[in-house]
Structure formats: structure tokens, C-alpha cells
Amino acid sequence: MATEVAGELNDALKIDKSATPDMVHAEQKHKKEKKVKENEKSKKATKAKMEAKSAGAKDSKKDTGLGLTVKKKENFGEWYSEVVVQAELIEYYDISGCYILRPWSYAIWESIKDFFDAEIKRIGVENAYFPMFVSQKALTQEKNHIEGFAPEVAWVTKSGDTELELPIAIRPTSETVMYPIFAKWIRGHRDLPLKLNQWCNIVRWEFKHPTPFIRSREFLWQEGHTAFASKSEADEEVLTILEFYRRIYEELLAVPVIKGIKSEVEKFAGGLYTTTVEAYIPTTGRGVQGGTSHCLGQNFAEMFDISFEDEKGERKKVWQNSWGLTTRTIGVMVMIHGDDKGLVLPPRVAPVQVIVIPVPYKDIDSNALFGACTHTSELLRKAGLRVKEDTRDNYSPGWKYSHWELKGVPLRIEIGPRDLTNKQVRVVRRDNFAKEDVPLSDLVSRVTDLLEDIQSSLLEKARKERDSCIVTVNTWDEFVAALNDKKMVLAPWCNEVEVEEDVKARTKGENGAAKTLCMPLEQNDLPEGSTCFASGKPAKKWALWGRSY
Ligand code: 87F
């Protein structure tokens, strides 16, 4: 199985020989220069947005916290900014591109972390922590790797008023931090495989417009770095990790993704090949890279002299992988499931799965009501659910409904005097607002079922919508039409660097150019004689194209 898939990866890599590293790097350099130019434009837009935001903060709707002032479909950018703040995921900060992750979003990150951490430990990966500072020498050791990214590296140049003798970089990723140490630790075949992961923050001084979770200058991630004696072991791990990433999106966040291989233009330049999970935001029609799992080949082993003595006493270079998943996951989930009332959280990652709200009526005995709320939440908590009671007496039940809807809690339980009499509770779903009365005797099993149903119907709904936005085309005209219709486009492709560059140039507009998102691992048959939609040359693969974040 592993070799079959590795063969598949290799096939995808059989691309035109004209894709020299120089060309790829020239393209990346061009990309960065363009970004720098965009900087000024983007700064102005941010300022205007922040001003609008503070003006908006004064209006009464926001003061009372009673909901969003914009609709998702009408102004997606504004809607997103409002949701992340009002749902208490994010607090803004006075450095552009840096955001505070509040407990509500940090808890979601912890769910992702708990899942992934357990899975990688099962396959023998160990956690470690390496410093956040990189010497200039180490950072620039592997030139291919850093060249295109150089403008995004942040440097420490001073301590107090004194210039440092040599500037020190803040890690934008840790290949160059870890690999000199790998060279020291790996001596013989018994030191392999070496499989390390770290949970940390990194800094990339992006010049594109920042967006909470999706593109920020500092973010949290995990980065895995592994070294093997053989390529086949490395190939196999690349796909194992990619499958964990797919499961994080689909099973935890209820976000459908497509697994694939990046084109030569889009892959990590320092590596051999890059695999990815790609998500799609229907409201903007943009693809979004969800996480990448790279086979680095022996490139870094060469540069950092990471070698081992094999069983025959011969010196060999190691085969390496690196893989990363960031807090962008949270932004993708918000964009896909959120609605005009705010966040919609999949139960598996919701910090609170059930909110219990007492609904007092006139001068009814509120002790009995509060007692019923406590009893209800204890029953559910004992069943392992995350439950909270909102018994604050300075807010009305209606205000609380809106508040917890805004925060995306999957289920709300309302308990009023009539429910006390009938030994039942009223349960309301966040995803479709369906209401039902549940007898206390059925509480745990019904609530558990409902949470599972919400989890699966969020994924199903998102998948249906995503699938309806994938258009298969064969010609350039069909391609352009689908792209302008905010679709992702599946097209037969010759897999040539110049052709991807040409498609980018021809689709460049206000909304950014189209690029390949990936070549899906699951490939439909390419009929005999299929030609590339863009070049007319023989097609080698189905590629997924789109505009992206
Ligand atoms: C920005 C500045 C400097 C991305 C950068 O994807 C260097 C880089 O190397 C850089 N932005 N990258 C590629 C990161 C590759 C790889 N690293 C480990 C991952 C996953 C985790």
C-alpha cells in the first residue's frame, strides 16, 4: 500500500524538466516583491477598517452585544471581523497582524492539539522544544529554502540601546534551528528514525492584508521534523500525517478537505514534494491551504550534513520530512460554519457543548428552577459532556440566548416552570434552530444523539456546498467562466511550470490570480488523448485550480 501511494506521488512529480529550482525561486522572489508593494495599499485598508470598527463599536447594537451588524453574504470581510470579536475568539492588539487568542478560541486549539498529539505519539513521534532564535548562519545555510521567504523574516538587532554584534532571526519555521542538532544526534542507523514535533509560535512578517487566524504575523502551530534511513519510510509518514490533518478538518472541525500534491510552483522550495489538505470557503469562492506534509528528500541532509552509518558500515544521508498545521484551522471553521447569528461550533471542538439557561416566570420559586438547572447539567457532565449553566441574574433569558448563539454553542437547554412540572427540558439546536422537549428520563441519550447529529450534519452540509462548487472543465473559456463564478476548477493539466505561470498571468485581476490548489490524490481517469485546458499539450493530471487565501 505504502509503495503504491509513494509511486503515485512520484508519478505526480514526473513533471517537465524545465522546472528548474531557479525558475521556481525567481517566481517566489517576484511574489514577495509584489507583496511588499501591496503593503502600502493593505496598510491603508487596515486603518480604514479599524476606524470603521471603532465607530461601529459605539452603536447600540454592539453595546448590548445583541448580535452582528452585517450579514455573511452581504459583506463577508466585515462579518468575519465581527464574528471573531463578538464570539470572544479574538481581541485586537496594537501591532498589526498580531491578535490575542481568547480562552474561547484557545480551547478549540487545545481540542485539535489533544487529538493530534495523541495520534503522533501513537506512531512514535516525541515532543521537544527548540529555541525561537536562529543565527544568521544557520538560517541561510540552505539557500533555496530561505531565498523566497527572506522578506518575511523578523530580526532582533538590539538589546536595550546596544546593537547586537550579529542580528538574530526569530524562527519563521524551525528547519534551520533543528537540523544542525539532528546532524549531531544522528550517527548510526540505530539513531533512526528520529521523529520530533514541537508545539510553538512562529513569526512571519507578512505584507499581505492580515486576517485573524487565516493570516497573522505570529501564529501557533505544530511542526514535525523527522529523519529516516530510507525514502520509503519517509513517503509513508508523509501520508500518515496528511491523513491526521484530514481527520482534524473533517472529524473535529466538520470541514471537508481535498488531499493532494502541490505543483512544482506551489511546493515548499526546500523540499522534494509537498502534500496538502485544501479547504474551500464558498462565500468568497477561495481555496485555503489547510496544512502541509512535506517530503524534504535529502536536500537538508546535504546542507546540514545529516548522515548515518548503515548496517554495511557505509555513510548515507538521511531522508527527511516536515509537516505543519496552524491556528488557521480555527479561521477556516469559523468561515465555513458561521451564520448571521454568529459562530456555529461543531460539538467535538466546542468548549461548551450545552448551555443551560433558566427561564424564570413572574414570581415563581427560582430556587426550584436553579435546582433543576444544576441537576440537568450534572447529569450531562457525568456523561462526559462539556456543560455550562448561565444563572446570571443581570441578563434576561433572551439576551443569554443571543449571547450563546453568537458564541456558537451547539445545544441550548431552556428550563422554565412548565418544564419543571412536566419533568422535561426544552432543547434548541444552534445549527438549524430546531426545538424539542426532552423528558428528563431520556436526557443523556437524546442530548448525546443530538450532538452527534449536529457534528455529522455540519460536515454533510459543508460537503454538499463544497461539492457543488467544483466544476470540471476541458477548455480555457470554461475555466475562466467557472473561476469568475467563484468556483474551484478541476481541469486536465500538462503539469508544466511555465503553464501555471501563464495561467496566473492571464487570470490576474483585482481578486488575485488563479493557481493550482493541488493535484488531488484521488484522480479520476484521464481519457486517452486528453489535452491541457491551458496549453493544449498532452494532459498528465487532473489539477484543482482556484483563487486562494
Ligand atoms: C517564511 C519565512 C522564512 C514558509 C517561511 O510547511 C521561511 C519560511 O520555510 C519557510 N514560510 N516556509 C516553509 C515552511 C515549511 C515547513 N516547515 C515545517 C512547513 C511545515 C512545518
PDB file of all heavy atoms in Angstrom, residues 491-525:
ATOM      1  N   ALA A 491      -9.322  20.523 -13.773  1.00  0.00           N
ATOM      2  CA  ALA A 491      -9.035  20.568 -15.209  1.00  0.00           C
ATOM      3  C   ALA A 491      -7.866  19.658 -15.553  1.00  0.00           C
ATOM      4  O   ALA A 491      -6.938  19.517 -14.773  1.00  0.00           O
ATOM      5  CB  ALA A 491      -8.712  22.010 -15.618  1.00  0.00           C
ATOM      6  N   PRO A 492      -7.909  19.057 -16.761  1.00  0.00           N
ATOM      7  CA  PRO A 492      -6.762  18.269 -17.205  1.00  0.00           C
ATOM      8  C   PRO A 492      -5.585  19.215 -17.454  1.00  0.00           C
ATOM      9  O   PRO A 492      -5.761  20.248 -18.103  1.00  0.00           O
ATOM     10  CB  PRO A 492      -7.245  17.626 -18.506  1.00  0.00           C
ATOM     11  CG  PRO A 492      -8.488  18.339 -18.896  1.00  0.00           C
ATOM     12  CD  PRO A 492      -8.981  19.165 -17.771  1.00  0.00           C
ATOM     13  N   TRP A 493      -4.407  18.825 -16.930  1.00  0.00           N
ATOM     14  CA  TRP A 493      -3.279  19.766 -16.941  1.00  0.00           C
ATOM     15  C   TRP A 493      -1.995  19.070 -17.364  1.00  0.00           C
ATOM     16  O   TRP A 493      -1.766  17.902 -17.013  1.00  0.00           O
ATOM     17  CB  TRP A 493      -3.116  20.363 -15.533  1.00  0.00           C
ATOM     18  CG  TRP A 493      -2.070  21.423 -15.465  1.00  0.00           C
ATOM     19  CD1 TRP A 493      -1.817  22.372 -16.393  1.00  0.00           C
ATOM     20  CD2 TRP A 493      -1.123  21.628 -14.407  1.00  0.00           C
ATOM     21  NE1 TRP A 493      -0.781  23.170 -15.993  1.00  0.00           N
ATOM     22  CE2 TRP A 493      -0.332  22.741 -14.780  1.00  0.00           C
ATOM     23  CE3 TRP A 493      -0.867  21.004 -13.187  1.00  0.00           C
ATOM     24  CZ2 TRP A 493       0.696  23.227 -13.974  1.00  0.00           C
ATOM     25  CZ3 TRP A 493       0.151  21.489 -12.391  1.00  0.00           C
ATOM     26  CH2 TRP A 493       0.924  22.591 -12.768  1.00  0.00           C
ATOM     27  N   CYS A 494      -1.151  19.850 -18.060  1.00  0.00           N
ATOM     28  CA  CYS A 494       0.123  19.298 -18.537  1.00  0.00           C
ATOM     29  C   CYS A 494       1.189  19.275 -17.448  1.00  0.00           C
ATOM     30  O   CYS A 494       2.250  18.692 -17.647  1.00  0.00           O
ATOM     31  CB  CYS A 494       0.611  20.119 -19.732  1.00  0.00           C
ATOM     32  SG  CYS A 494       0.935  21.841 -19.301  1.00  0.00           S
ATOM     33  N   ASN A 495       0.912  19.921 -16.313  1.00  0.00           N
ATOM     34  CA  ASN A 495       1.837  19.916 -15.174  1.00  0.00           C
ATOM     35  C   ASN A 495       3.181  20.562 -15.515  1.00  0.00           C
ATOM     36  O   ASN A 495       4.241  20.042 -15.183  1.00  0.00           O
ATOM     37  CB  ASN A 495       2.030  18.473 -14.678  1.00  0.00           C
ATOM     38  CG  ASN A 495       2.603  18.419 -13.256  1.00  0.00           C
ATOM     39  OD1 ASN A 495       2.811  19.460 -12.630  1.00  0.00           O
ATOM     40  ND2 ASN A 495       2.860  17.237 -12.754  1.00  0.00           N
ATOM     41  N   GLU A 496       3.116  21.713 -16.184  1.00  0.00           N
ATOM     42  CA  GLU A 496       4.355  22.427 -16.519  1.00  0.00           C
ATOM     43  C   GLU A 496       4.391  23.778 -15.818  1.00  0.00           C
ATOM     44  O   GLU A 496       3.396  24.501 -15.794  1.00  0.00           O
ATOM     45  CB  GLU A 496       4.469  22.615 -18.034  1.00  0.00           C
ATOM     46  CG  GLU A 496       4.761  21.298 -18.735  1.00  0.00           C
ATOM     47  CD  GLU A 496       5.006  21.472 -20.225  1.00  0.00           C
ATOM     48  OE1 GLU A 496       5.185  22.631 -20.686  1.00  0.00           O
ATOM     49  OE2 GLU A 496       5.013  20.442 -20.930  1.00  0.00           O
ATOM     50  N   VAL A 497       5.584  24.094 -15.282  1.00  0.00           N
ATOM     51  CA  VAL A 497       5.761  25.332 -14.526  1.00  0.00           C
ATOM     52  C   VAL A 497       5.346  26.563 -15.338  1.00  0.00           C
ATOM     53  O   VAL A 497       4.591  27.414 -14.858  1.00  0.00           O
ATOM     54  CB  VAL A 497       7.224  25.466 -14.039  1.00  0.00           C
ATOM     55  CG1 VAL A 497       7.485  26.854 -13.477  1.00  0.00           C
ATOM     56  CG2 VAL A 497       7.530  24.404 -12.986  1.00  0.00           C
ATOM     57  N   GLU A 498       5.816  26.641 -16.607  1.00  0.00           N
ATOM     58  CA  GLU A 498       5.512  27.848 -17.401  1.00  0.00           C
ATOM     59  C   GLU A 498       4.010  27.996 -17.618  1.00  0.00           C
ATOM     60  O   GLU A 498       3.513  29.109 -17.728  1.00  0.00           O
ATOM     61  CB  GLU A 498       6.145  27.841 -18.801  1.00  0.00           C
ATOM     62  CG  GLU A 498       7.634  27.728 -18.871  1.00  0.00           C
ATOM     63  CD  GLU A 498       8.068  26.290 -18.638  1.00  0.00           C
ATOM     64  OE1 GLU A 498       7.242  25.385 -18.852  1.00  0.00           O
ATOM     65  OE2 GLU A 498       9.204  26.080 -18.204  1.00  0.00           O
ATOM     66  N   VAL A 499       3.329  26.868 -17.721  1.00  0.00           N
ATOM     67  CA  VAL A 499       1.889  26.950 -17.978  1.00  0.00           C
ATOM     68  C   VAL A 499       1.169  27.469 -16.729  1.00  0.00           C
ATOM     69  O   VAL A 499       0.271  28.304 -16.824  1.00  0.00           O
ATOM     70  CB  VAL A 499       1.337  25.590 -18.470  1.00  0.00           C
ATOM     71  CG1 VAL A 499      -0.176  25.643 -18.637  1.00  0.00           C
ATOM     72  CG2 VAL A 499       1.999  25.219 -19.794  1.00  0.00           C
ATOM     73  N   GLU A 500       1.595  27.032 -15.566  1.00  0.00           N
ATOM     74  CA  GLU A 500       0.984  27.574 -14.345  1.00  0.00           C
ATOM     75  C   GLU A 500       1.265  29.075 -14.235  1.00  0.00           C
ATOM     76  O   GLU A 500       0.373  29.860 -13.897  1.00  0.00           O
ATOM     77  CB  GLU A 500       1.477  26.845 -13.083  1.00  0.00           C
ATOM     78  CG  GLU A 500       0.834  27.437 -11.821  1.00  0.00           C
ATOM     79  CD  GLU A 500       0.828  26.540 -10.589  1.00  0.00           C
ATOM     80  OE1 GLU A 500       1.431  25.450 -10.628  1.00  0.00           O
ATOM     81  OE2 GLU A 500       0.211  26.950  -9.582  1.00  0.00           O
ATOM     82  N   GLU A 501       2.501  29.479 -14.560  1.00  0.00           N
ATOM     83  CA  GLU A 501       2.842  30.914 -14.530  1.00  0.00           C
ATOM     84  C   GLU A 501       1.960  31.678 -15.510  1.00  0.00           C
ATOM     85  O   GLU A 501       1.475  32.772 -15.214  1.00  0.00           O
ATOM     86  CB  GLU A 501       4.309  31.152 -14.924  1.00  0.00           C
ATOM     87  CG  GLU A 501       5.338  30.423 -14.088  1.00  0.00           C
ATOM     88  CD  GLU A 501       5.362  30.840 -12.631  1.00  0.00           C
ATOM     89  OE1 GLU A 501       4.427  31.554 -12.205  1.00  0.00           O
ATOM     90  OE2 GLU A 501       6.294  30.425 -11.926  1.00  0.00           O
ATOM     91  N   ASP A 502       1.750  31.069 -16.685  1.00  0.00           N
ATOM     92  CA  ASP A 502       0.965  31.714 -17.721  1.00  0.00           C
ATOM     93  C   ASP A 502      -0.501  31.849 -17.281  1.00  0.00           C
ATOM     94  O   ASP A 502      -1.124  32.893 -17.482  1.00  0.00           O
ATOM     95  CB  ASP A 502       1.092  30.875 -18.999  1.00  0.00           C
ATOM     96  CG  ASP A 502       0.378  31.522 -20.156  1.00  0.00           C
ATOM     97  OD1 ASP A 502       0.637  32.714 -20.401  1.00  0.00           O
ATOM     98  OD2 ASP A 502      -0.475  30.850 -20.791  1.00  0.00           O
ATOM     99  N   VAL A 503      -1.034  30.803 -16.645  1.00  0.00           N
ATOM    100  CA  VAL A 503      -2.425  30.864 -16.172  1.00  0.00           C
ATOM    101  C   VAL A 503      -2.537  31.982 -15.132  1.00  0.00           C
ATOM    102  O   VAL A 503      -3.485  32.773 -15.134  1.00  0.00           O
ATOM    103  CB  VAL A 503      -2.874  29.515 -15.566  1.00  0.00           C
ATOM    104  CG1 VAL A 503      -4.242  29.646 -14.909  1.00  0.00           C
ATOM    105  CG2 VAL A 503      -2.902  28.424 -16.635  1.00  0.00           C
ATOM    106  N   LYS A 504      -1.535  32.061 -14.272  1.00  0.00           N
ATOM    107  CA  LYS A 504      -1.545  33.122 -13.249  1.00  0.00           C
ATOM    108  C   LYS A 504      -1.586  34.497 -13.910  1.00  0.00           C
ATOM    109  O   LYS A 504      -2.382  35.348 -13.536  1.00  0.00           O
ATOM    110  CB  LYS A 504      -0.276  33.032 -12.393  1.00  0.00           C
ATOM    111  CG  LYS A 504      -0.392  32.078 -11.240  1.00  0.00           C
ATOM    112  CD  LYS A 504       0.835  32.224 -10.368  1.00  0.00           C
ATOM    113  CE  LYS A 504       0.767  31.262  -9.209  1.00  0.00           C
ATOM    114  NZ  LYS A 504       1.984  31.235  -8.415  1.00  0.00           N
ATOM    115  N   ALA A 505      -0.708  34.683 -14.883  1.00  0.00           N
ATOM    116  CA  ALA A 505      -0.622  35.981 -15.549  1.00  0.00           C
ATOM    117  C   ALA A 505      -1.944  36.319 -16.238  1.00  0.00           C
ATOM    118  O   ALA A 505      -2.418  37.455 -16.178  1.00  0.00           O
ATOM    119  CB  ALA A 505       0.521  35.967 -16.558  1.00  0.00           C
ATOM    120  N   ARG A 506      -2.547  35.308 -16.855  1.00  0.00           N
ATOM    121  CA  ARG A 506      -3.777  35.563 -17.626  1.00  0.00           C
ATOM    122  C   ARG A 506      -5.003  35.759 -16.748  1.00  0.00           C
ATOM    123  O   ARG A 506      -6.041  36.234 -17.207  1.00  0.00           O
ATOM    124  CB  ARG A 506      -4.030  34.407 -18.604  1.00  0.00           C
ATOM    125  CG  ARG A 506      -3.049  34.410 -19.776  1.00  0.00           C
ATOM    126  CD  ARG A 506      -2.948  33.045 -20.412  1.00  0.00           C
ATOM    127  NE  ARG A 506      -4.052  32.738 -21.314  1.00  0.00           N
ATOM    128  CZ  ARG A 506      -4.208  31.537 -21.891  1.00  0.00           C
ATOM    129  NH1 ARG A 506      -3.366  30.566 -21.636  1.00  0.00           N
ATOM    130  NH2 ARG A 506      -5.227  31.321 -22.691  1.00  0.00           N
ATOM    131  N   THR A 507      -4.930  35.327 -15.496  1.00  0.00           N
ATOM    132  CA  THR A 507      -6.119  35.462 -14.634  1.00  0.00           C
ATOM    133  C   THR A 507      -5.940  36.545 -13.587  1.00  0.00           C
ATOM    134  O   THR A 507      -6.786  36.721 -12.716  1.00  0.00           O
ATOM    135  CB  THR A 507      -6.423  34.131 -13.909  1.00  0.00           C
ATOM    136  OG1 THR A 507      -5.257  33.700 -13.211  1.00  0.00           O
ATOM    137  CG2 THR A 507      -6.865  33.054 -14.880  1.00  0.00           C
ATOM    138  N   LYS A 508      -4.808  37.242 -13.682  1.00  0.00           N
ATOM    139  CA  LYS A 508      -4.506  38.253 -12.674  1.00  0.00           C
ATOM    140  C   LYS A 508      -5.569  39.348 -12.734  1.00  0.00           C
ATOM    141  O   LYS A 508      -5.911  39.838 -13.775  1.00  0.00           O
ATOM    142  CB  LYS A 508      -3.131  38.854 -12.961  1.00  0.00           C
ATOM    143  CG  LYS A 508      -2.447  39.356 -11.729  1.00  0.00           C
ATOM    144  CD  LYS A 508      -0.955  39.351 -11.926  1.00  0.00           C
ATOM    145  CE  LYS A 508      -0.404  40.761 -11.903  1.00  0.00           C
ATOM    146  NZ  LYS A 508       0.947  40.794 -12.452  1.00  0.00           N
ATOM    147  N   GLY A 509      -6.115  39.673 -11.585  1.00  0.00           N
ATOM    148  CA  GLY A 509      -7.106  40.750 -11.537  1.00  0.00           C
ATOM    149  C   GLY A 509      -7.149  41.271 -10.121  1.00  0.00           C
ATOM    150  O   GLY A 509      -6.291  40.920  -9.306  1.00  0.00           O
ATOM    151  N   GLU A 510      -8.149  42.050  -9.846  1.00  0.00           N
ATOM    152  CA  GLU A 510      -8.332  42.621  -8.504  1.00  0.00           C
ATOM    153  C   GLU A 510      -8.324  41.558  -7.404  1.00  0.00           C
ATOM    154  O   GLU A 510      -7.811  41.767  -6.326  1.00  0.00           O
ATOM    155  CB  GLU A 510      -9.706  43.279  -8.469  1.00  0.00           C
ATOM    156  CG  GLU A 510      -9.674  44.765  -8.432  1.00  0.00           C
ATOM    157  CD  GLU A 510     -11.087  45.287  -8.438  1.00  0.00           C
ATOM    158  OE1 GLU A 510     -11.880  44.839  -7.612  1.00  0.00           O
ATOM    159  OE2 GLU A 510     -11.375  46.136  -9.308  1.00  0.00           O
ATOM    160  N   ASN A 511      -8.961  40.410  -7.725  1.00  0.00           N
ATOM    161  CA  ASN A 511      -9.136  39.389  -6.700  1.00  0.00           C
ATOM    162  C   ASN A 511      -7.974  38.410  -6.605  1.00  0.00           C
ATOM    163  O   ASN A 511      -8.078  37.385  -5.949  1.00  0.00           O
ATOM    164  CB  ASN A 511     -10.422  38.592  -6.970  1.00  0.00           C
ATOM    165  CG  ASN A 511     -11.611  39.505  -7.077  1.00  0.00           C
ATOM    166  OD1 ASN A 511     -11.716  40.471  -6.336  1.00  0.00           O
ATOM    167  ND2 ASN A 511     -12.484  39.220  -8.023  1.00  0.00           N
ATOM    168  N   GLY A 512      -6.890  38.731  -7.260  1.00  0.00           N
ATOM    169  CA  GLY A 512      -5.744  37.825  -7.224  1.00  0.00           C
ATOM    170  C   GLY A 512      -5.847  36.800  -8.338  1.00  0.00           C
ATOM    171  O   GLY A 512      -6.918  36.560  -8.882  1.00  0.00           O
ATOM    172  N   ALA A 513      -4.706  36.201  -8.656  1.00  0.00           N
ATOM    173  CA  ALA A 513      -4.649  35.264  -9.777  1.00  0.00           C
ATOM    174  C   ALA A 513      -5.096  33.874  -9.336  1.00  0.00           C
ATOM    175  O   ALA A 513      -5.086  33.555  -8.156  1.00  0.00           O
ATOM    176  CB  ALA A 513      -3.238  35.212 -10.312  1.00  0.00           C
ATOM    177  N   ALA A 514      -5.454  33.056 -10.334  1.00  0.00           N
ATOM    178  CA  ALA A 514      -5.752  31.653 -10.046  1.00  0.00           C
ATOM    179  C   ALA A 514      -4.450  30.874 -10.001  1.00  0.00           C
ATOM    180  O   ALA A 514      -3.498  31.191 -10.696  1.00  0.00           O
ATOM    181  CB  ALA A 514      -6.649  31.090 -11.137  1.00  0.00           C
ATOM    182  N   LYS A 515      -4.427  29.878  -9.137  1.00  0.00           N
ATOM    183  CA  LYS A 515      -3.254  28.998  -9.105  1.00  0.00           C
ATOM    184  C   LYS A 515      -3.719  27.569  -8.867  1.00  0.00           C
ATOM    185  O   LYS A 515      -4.905  27.339  -8.591  1.00  0.00           O
ATOM    186  CB  LYS A 515      -2.303  29.457  -8.001  1.00  0.00           C
ATOM    187  CG  LYS A 515      -2.895  29.397  -6.609  1.00  0.00           C
ATOM    188  CD  LYS A 515      -1.875  29.893  -5.604  1.00  0.00           C
ATOM    189  CE  LYS A 515      -2.331  29.687  -4.193  1.00  0.00           C
ATOM    190  NZ  LYS A 515      -1.471  30.295  -3.203  1.00  0.00           N
ATOM    191  N   THR A 516      -2.785  26.634  -8.930  1.00  0.00           N
ATOM    192  CA  THR A 516      -3.183  25.275  -8.596  1.00  0.00           C
ATOM    193  C   THR A 516      -3.301  25.200  -7.082  1.00  0.00           C
ATOM    194  O   THR A 516      -2.446  25.707  -6.360  1.00  0.00           O
ATOM    195  CB  THR A 516      -2.137  24.239  -9.058  1.00  0.00           C
ATOM    196  OG1 THR A 516      -0.873  24.593  -8.521  1.00  0.00           O
ATOM    197  CG2 THR A 516      -2.052  24.171 -10.569  1.00  0.00           C
ATOM    198  N   LEU A 517      -4.377  24.579  -6.617  1.00  0.00           N
ATOM    199  CA  LEU A 517      -4.511  24.319  -5.181  1.00  0.00           C
ATOM    200  C   LEU A 517      -3.799  23.003  -4.886  1.00  0.00           C
ATOM    201  O   LEU A 517      -3.065  22.895  -3.922  1.00  0.00           O
ATOM    202  CB  LEU A 517      -5.980  24.259  -4.792  1.00  0.00           C
ATOM    203  CG  LEU A 517      -6.795  25.507  -5.171  1.00  0.00           C
ATOM    204  CD1 LEU A 517      -8.275  25.292  -4.885  1.00  0.00           C
ATOM    205  CD2 LEU A 517      -6.284  26.738  -4.444  1.00  0.00           C
ATOM    206  N   CYS A 518      -4.039  22.025  -5.728  1.00  0.00           N
ATOM    207  CA  CYS A 518      -3.322  20.743  -5.610  1.00  0.00           C
ATOM    208  C   CYS A 518      -3.686  19.853  -6.798  1.00  0.00           C
ATOM    209  O   CYS A 518      -4.612  20.162  -7.565  1.00  0.00           O
ATOM    210  CB  CYS A 518      -3.684  20.023  -4.312  1.00  0.00           C
ATOM    211  SG  CYS A 518      -5.373  19.411  -4.221  1.00  0.00           S
ATOM    212  N   MET A 519      -2.956  18.763  -6.902  1.00  0.00           N
ATOM    213  CA  MET A 519      -3.372  17.673  -7.782  1.00  0.00           C
ATOM    214  C   MET A 519      -3.932  16.612  -6.849  1.00  0.00           C
ATOM    215  O   MET A 519      -3.173  16.022  -6.062  1.00  0.00           O
ATOM    216  CB  MET A 519      -2.188  17.156  -8.579  1.00  0.00           C
ATOM    217  CG  MET A 519      -1.765  18.177  -9.635  1.00  0.00           C
ATOM    218  SD  MET A 519      -0.216  17.734 -10.395  1.00  0.00           S
ATOM    219  CE  MET A 519       0.940  18.490  -9.280  1.00  0.00           C
ATOM    220  N   PRO A 520      -5.263  16.450  -6.833  1.00  0.00           N
ATOM    221  CA  PRO A 520      -5.865  15.549  -5.852  1.00  0.00           C
ATOM    222  C   PRO A 520      -5.229  14.155  -5.879  1.00  0.00           C
ATOM    223  O   PRO A 520      -4.911  13.654  -6.963  1.00  0.00           O
ATOM    224  CB  PRO A 520      -7.333  15.500  -6.283  1.00  0.00           C
ATOM    225  CG  PRO A 520      -7.564  16.791  -7.005  1.00  0.00           C
ATOM    226  CD  PRO A 520      -6.268  17.090  -7.703  1.00  0.00           C
ATOM    227  N   LEU A 521      -5.041  13.564  -4.705  1.00  0.00           N
ATOM    228  CA  LEU A 521      -4.501  12.198  -4.648  1.00  0.00           C
ATOM    229  C   LEU A 521      -5.452  11.245  -5.354  1.00  0.00           C
ATOM    230  O   LEU A 521      -5.034  10.314  -6.027  1.00  0.00           O
ATOM    231  CB  LEU A 521      -4.310  11.742  -3.197  1.00  0.00           C
ATOM    232  CG  LEU A 521      -3.195  12.372  -2.365  1.00  0.00           C
ATOM    233  CD1 LEU A 521      -3.049  11.627  -1.039  1.00  0.00           C
ATOM    234  CD2 LEU A 521      -1.871  12.395  -3.106  1.00  0.00           C
ATOM    235  N   GLU A 522      -6.745  11.466  -5.146  1.00  0.00           N
ATOM    236  CA  GLU A 522      -7.739  10.642  -5.833  1.00  0.00           C
ATOM    237  C   GLU A 522      -7.949  11.220  -7.216  1.00  0.00           C
ATOM    238  O   GLU A 522      -8.559  12.283  -7.362  1.00  0.00           O
ATOM    239  CB  GLU A 522      -9.067  10.702  -5.070  1.00  0.00           C
ATOM    240  CG  GLU A 522      -9.345   9.463  -4.268  1.00  0.00           C
ATOM    241  CD  GLU A 522     -10.632   9.569  -3.501  1.00  0.00           C
ATOM    242  OE1 GLU A 522     -11.669   9.942  -4.105  1.00  0.00           O
ATOM    243  OE2 GLU A 522     -10.597   9.307  -2.283  1.00  0.00           O
ATOM    244  N   GLN A 523      -7.428  10.546  -8.210  1.00  0.00           N
ATOM    245  CA  GLN A 523      -7.501  11.042  -9.586  1.00  0.00           C
ATOM    246  C   GLN A 523      -8.523  10.239 -10.380  1.00  0.00           C
ATOM    247  O   GLN A 523      -8.441   9.012 -10.435  1.00  0.00           O
ATOM    248  CB  GLN A 523      -6.128  10.895 -10.245  1.00  0.00           C
ATOM    249  CG  GLN A 523      -5.091  11.883  -9.756  1.00  0.00           C
ATOM    250  CD  GLN A 523      -5.111  13.186 -10.535  1.00  0.00           C
ATOM    251  OE1 GLN A 523      -5.289  13.206 -11.749  1.00  0.00           O
ATOM    252  NE2 GLN A 523      -4.934  14.289  -9.817  1.00  0.00           N
ATOM    253  N   ASN A 524      -9.480  10.932 -11.012  1.00  0.00           N
ATOM    254  CA  ASN A 524     -10.345  10.248 -11.971  1.00  0.00           C
ATOM    255  C   ASN A 524      -9.507   9.881 -13.194  1.00  0.00           C
ATOM    256  O   ASN A 524      -8.458  10.480 -13.418  1.00  0.00           O
ATOM    257  CB  ASN A 524     -11.498  11.154 -12.404  1.00  0.00           C
ATOM    258  CG  ASN A 524     -12.522  11.297 -11.293  1.00  0.00           C
ATOM    259  OD1 ASN A 524     -12.596  10.441 -10.410  1.00  0.00           O
ATOM    260  ND2 ASN A 524     -13.270  12.382 -11.322  1.00  0.00           N
ATOM    261  N   ASP A 525     -10.008   8.942 -13.976  1.00  0.00           N
ATOM    262  CA  ASP A 525      -9.278   8.581 -15.186  1.00  0.00           C
ATOM    263  C   ASP A 525      -9.159   9.777 -16.112  1.00  0.00           C
ATOM    264  O   ASP A 525     -10.102  10.560 -16.247  1.00  0.00           O
ATOM    265  CB  ASP A 525     -10.023   7.462 -15.930  1.00  0.00           C
ATOM    266  CG  ASP A 525      -9.839   6.137 -15.222  1.00  0.00           C
ATOM    267  OD1 ASP A 525      -8.889   6.036 -14.412  1.00  0.00           O
ATOM    268  OD2 ASP A 525     -10.646   5.214 -15.469  1.00  0.00           O
TER     269      ASP A 525
END
